[in-house]
Amino acid sequence: MKRYAGFVLLPLILILCALCLSSLFAKRETDKKDEALLLENTSVPGNLSGIRQRRDDARREELRVLDEAIKADDEYSPICASYRSMLIKNIEDEMVIEDVALTKGYFDVCAIVSGEKVYVVILSDSLSEEGALLIKDTAVRQCGINANDVCIILDSGGE
C-alpha cells in the first residue's frame, strides 16, 4: 500500500512544482514589462498621462487574456485564475497608493505595483518628507514589501 501511495504522490508533487514554476515565470515576465514601460515613459518629462494610459491598457489586455485562458477550462486555468487575482490586487493597491498621494495634495500621480517593487510617479517639482513617508508607508503596508522597494519618481512636467 505504501508503494502505491508513493506512485500517486510523486506525480502530484511534480505537477504542483510545474504549476508553481510556470506561475513564477509569468509573474517575472510581467514585472519586466512593467519596469520597461516605466523606464521608457519617465525618460520624457511631463509624460505622466502616457505612463498611466499604457499601464491601464496593459492591465486591461492582461485581464482580457487571462479571462480567455480561464474560460478555456484546461490545466492552465487554475494558474491563470490565481494570476488574475494577483493582478486585481495590484490594481487595487495602485489605487490606494494614488488616493493617499491625492490626500497630500499631489493630484497627478501614477502608481505601478510590479512584483516586489512599487513605482510612484508624481507630477511635481518637490515632495515633502511627510508626503514621501506617507506614500512609502502606504505602499509597504498595502503590498507587504520593504521600504527600499518603493521608488518615488518626481516628474517636473518638462519645465
Side-chain angles (χ1 to χ4, degrees):
M1 187 70 161
K2 287 185 179 179
R3 285 184 125 167
Y4 177 73
F7 286 118
V8 173
L9 288 177
L10 184 60
L12 288 175
I13 291 170
L14 291 174
I15 289 170
L16 284 174
C17 288
L19 289 174
C20 289
L21 283 174
S22 67
S23 177
L24 179 65
F25 288 127
K27 183 177 174 298
R28 283 186 181 162
E29 191 60 33
T30 299
D31 294 348
K32 289 178 187 174
K33 287 179 187 175
D34 286 343
E35 288 181 33
L37 166 75
L38 185 67
L39 292 173
E40 172 187 328
N41 284 287
T42 53
S43 62
V44 180
N47 196 24
L48 190 58
S49 62
I51 295 170
R52 187 180 300 108
Q53 183 64 45
R54 285 189 169 169
R55 177 202 64 189
D56 294 346
D57 290 347
R59 298 290 193 245
R60 272 191 291 279
E61 179 62 15
E62 284 178 295
L63 288 171
R64 185 191 65 74
V65 169
L66 287 168
D67 287 341
E68 287 178 12
I70 292 168
K71 287 178 188 172
D73 199 28
D74 59 14
E75 69 268 20
Y76 299 107
S77 294
I79 296 170
C80 293
S82 174
Y83 184 73
R84 186 183 192 285
S85 296
M86 183 192 72
L87 186 60
I88 295 291
K89 179 168 179 350
N90 286 355
I91 293 168
E92 291 169 351
D93 291 345
E94 290 166 351
M95 291 169 55
V96 168
I97 293 165
E98 289 173 2
D99 286 345
V100 166
L102 285 170
T103 65
K104 295 308 293 175
Y106 301 103
F107 300 107
D108 214 351
V109 178
C110 180
I112 299 176
V113 176
S114 178
E116 298 298 315
K117 295 207 180 278
V118 174
Y119 303 93
V120 183
V121 183
I122 301 172
L123 186 64
S124 179
D125 289 327
S126 63
L127 177 65
S128 71
E129 188 174 331
E130 176 189 2
L133 287 173
L134 184 62
I135 291 168
K136 276 194 177 213
D137 183 56
T138 302
V140 166
R141 281 187 291 106
Q142 280 297 124
C143 305
I145 60 172
N146 294 320
N148 292 337
D149 295 323
V150 179
C151 179
I152 300 176
I153 301 167
L154 293 180
D155 182 350
S156 65
E159 297 170 0

